[in-house]
Amino acid sequence: MKQVKIDNSETKRQILTEFISSCLRNKYWTNDKGIVLLREYKNEAGKQCWLLLPSIDDGYKDNPPERFATFQGDIILVFDANSNGIQKASTGNREALNQCLEQITGDRVYIRPPKRSRWTDVVMPFTNRKMTNGPRRISAGNGGSLIIIFNDDGSYQALIPV
């Protein structure tokens, strides 16, 4: 596990301050729980991008990052992503990374309960499999996410993913 510095410019500090403030203001973080998941990548145009996501659970354990940062007392887990912002698979020892992350995140996240099967009476067409997720959860995305595209001149664009 490697600690990195991601707030190395005034622009990045401002972005992180505003994002964390919005997580608190919009109540994406509750009961003093919450961390930032940051996916770093270059888009198809070759521009450096961040995808910022608020999180209150330990879902990162499925594919733990190898880097983390701190910003004004908050924890930011830094992931590598492909040009579409999709997280790449972790190459490190998952068990060792999760042990380190458990110490780093402490009580800032909820522990996910084990997965249980769901009852449903809806059968998907063609596949005849039971549908366990509602269509609104599939299309709604992750609330509070933000894409930042850094321009070469030091400016940036902030986009809300759909």
Side-chain angles (χ1 to χ4, degrees), residues 5-161:
K5 186 162 179 62
I6 58 170
D7 60 338
N8 50 9
S9 73
E10 184 59 36
T11 303
K12 291 181 178 178
R13 282 190 289 277
Q14 178 186 352
I15 291 167
L16 291 170
T17 299
E18 288 175 10
F19 181 76
I20 290 169
S21 294
S22 76
C23 289
L24 295 168
R25 183 176 52 253
N26 296 319
K27 297 186 175 143
Y28 298 128
W29 292 351
T30 57
N31 298 329
D32 199 29
K33 305 282 187 197
I35 59 173
V36 176
L37 307 180
L38 185 152
R39 296 182 189 170
E40 283 188 320
Y41 63 99
K42 287 193 180 212
N43 64 9
E44 285 95 12
K47 292 186 178 182
Q48 185 67 32
C49 299
W50 281 359
L51 172 57
L52 297 164
L53 305 129
S55 180
I56 59 170
D57 70 17
D58 62 355
Y60 58 81
K61 287 184 174 183
D62 296 337
N63 189 18
E66 297 176 14
R67 299 177 294 154
F68 78 99
T70 61
F71 181 74
Q72 298 175 351
D74 287 301
I75 300 294
I76 302 168
L77 302 184
V78 183
F79 298 86
D80 291 321
N82 67 16
S83 62
N84 293 321
I86 297 171
Q87 182 179 331
K88 292 180 180 177
S90 179
T91 57
N93 179 343
R94 185 175 290 180
E95 204 170 299
L97 289 171
N98 280 330
Q99 285 179 354
C100 288
L101 286 169
E102 208 169 290
Q103 291 177 357
I104 293 165
T105 58
D107 68 346
R108 290 181 176 95
V109 293
Y110 290 107
I111 298 170
R112 288 182 306 171
K115 258 190 174 174
R116 298 185 331 209
S117 62
R118 295 180 177 181
W119 180 87
T120 181
D121 62 350
V122 178
V123 177
M124 294 172 53
F126 307 113
T127 62
N128 291 329
R129 288 190 335 217
K130 297 267 186 177
M131 181 179 203
T132 57
N133 286 349
R136 288 159 299 286
R137 285 191 296 275
I138 294 168
S139 64
N142 188 358
S145 301
L146 184 65
I147 296 174
I148 304 295
I149 301 173
F150 295 100
N151 298 316
D152 296 333
D153 63 359
S155 64
Y156 69 93
Q157 293 174 287
L159 308 170
I160 298 172

